[in-house]
Amino acid sequence: MAPPRVFPLGDSAITIELGTERSRKLLREVHAAAAQIRSQQLQHVTDVVPAYLAVTVFYDAIKVSYSEIAEQIVGALDASRNTPAGEETRHHVIPVEYSGADLQSVADTTGLRVAEVVARHSAKTYTVDLLGFVPGWAYMSELDPSLQIPRRQQPRPRVPAGSVAIAATQTGIYPLDTPGGWHILGRTAATMFDPTRDPPALLKAGDTVKFEPFK
């Protein structure tokens, strides 16, 4: 892992940048760094959020200063660099009814039959890169190259929760009714985000996902 670059994000967060180019290796380092920071249970830290290149740590700025929290975080990473902390991850099998509004257009764009689009999308085991966009949205890469097409030119004002969609190199599941520009392949009845559940999001970074077609 390269020496991290540390800088403030607003007045109550600190970002630790671990690289400048996205890669699967760097993403694993980011996840490991986030796990190590969480394992330290640092006082006054309120959240640890991994991204593709960096980890952002939110803290209570009333009780601890930026310089103090930066020293603690860098120290925690240095001390455990050779013994990365692990976090329990889970494998999810998510049933999908492949009858989405964009299934035929995706087939037309890619030159595949509808059945081939379904087969190629459901054949992969995806890894959750990170959560973002809206609560519970999991970005998953490793989409089959034959299915990689740009976002819709015209986003929809409302995409129903549970919609399984693709765009560019990624796939994801809309956890809430939101606007969206991804191509909808199908729908799942799985609840991706429930604020009354602990934790609220079904998926977390590092989890793996397999889509299972059903009718």
Side-chain angles (χ1 to χ4, degrees), residues 55-74:
V55 181
T56 296
V57 178
F58 294 84
Y59 60 92
D60 187 341
I62 295 176
K63 298 180 179 178
V64 64
S65 69
Y66 167 80
S67 59
E68 290 172 330
I69 200 71
E71 182 178 358
Q72 292 177 38
I73 290 171
V74 173

Side-chain angles (χ1 to χ4, degrees), residues 57-100:
V57 178
F58 294 84
Y59 60 92
D60 187 341
I62 295 176
K63 298 180 179 178
V64 64
S65 69
Y66 167 80
S67 59
E68 290 172 330
I69 200 71
E71 182 178 358
Q72 292 177 38
I73 290 171
V74 173
L77 290 178
D78 286 343
S80 53
R81 181 169 297 185
N82 296 321
T83 56
E87 284 190 317
E88 182 181 355
T89 59
R90 296 182 298 164
H91 179 67
H92 306 262
V93 177
I94 296 180
V96 179
E97 181 182 358
Y98 282 94
S99 58

Side-chain angles (χ1 to χ4, degrees), residues 81-168:
R81 181 169 297 185
N82 296 321
T83 56
E87 284 190 317
E88 182 181 355
T89 59
R90 296 182 298 164
H91 179 67
H92 306 262
V93 177
I94 296 180
V96 179
E97 181 182 358
Y98 282 94
S99 58
D102 299 316
L103 184 58
Q104 184 62 59
S105 65
V106 169
D108 294 341
T109 300
T110 59
L112 300 170
R113 293 181 294 109
V114 165
E116 291 176 316
V117 172
V118 173
R120 295 187 187 199
H121 183 260
S122 59
K124 288 275 190 177
T125 296
Y126 301 93
T127 301
V128 176
D129 294 342
L130 53 90
L131 300 185
F133 173 45
V134 293
W137 174 277
Y139 287 94
M140 293 175 272
S141 297
E142 303 160 346
L143 184 66
D144 189 294
S146 66
L147 300 179
Q148 295 180 11
I149 58 177
R151 293 166 56 95
R152 287 171 49 87
Q153 290 186 351
Q154 183 63 47
R156 291 183 171 91
R158 178 182 175 274
V159 177
S163 296
V164 178
I166 61 172

Side-chain angles (χ1 to χ4, degrees), residues 148-197:
Q148 295 180 11
I149 58 177
R151 293 166 56 95
R152 287 171 49 87
Q153 290 186 351
Q154 183 63 47
R156 291 183 171 91
R158 178 182 175 274
V159 177
S163 296
V164 178
I166 61 172
T169 63
Q170 297 178 313
T171 189
I173 308 168
Y174 284 81
L176 306 169
D177 293 351
T178 63
W182 289 31
H183 303 273
I184 302 171
L185 300 185
R187 186 180 185 281
T188 180
T191 301
M192 306 309 297
F193 182 80
D194 180 353
T196 67
R197 188 171 59 195

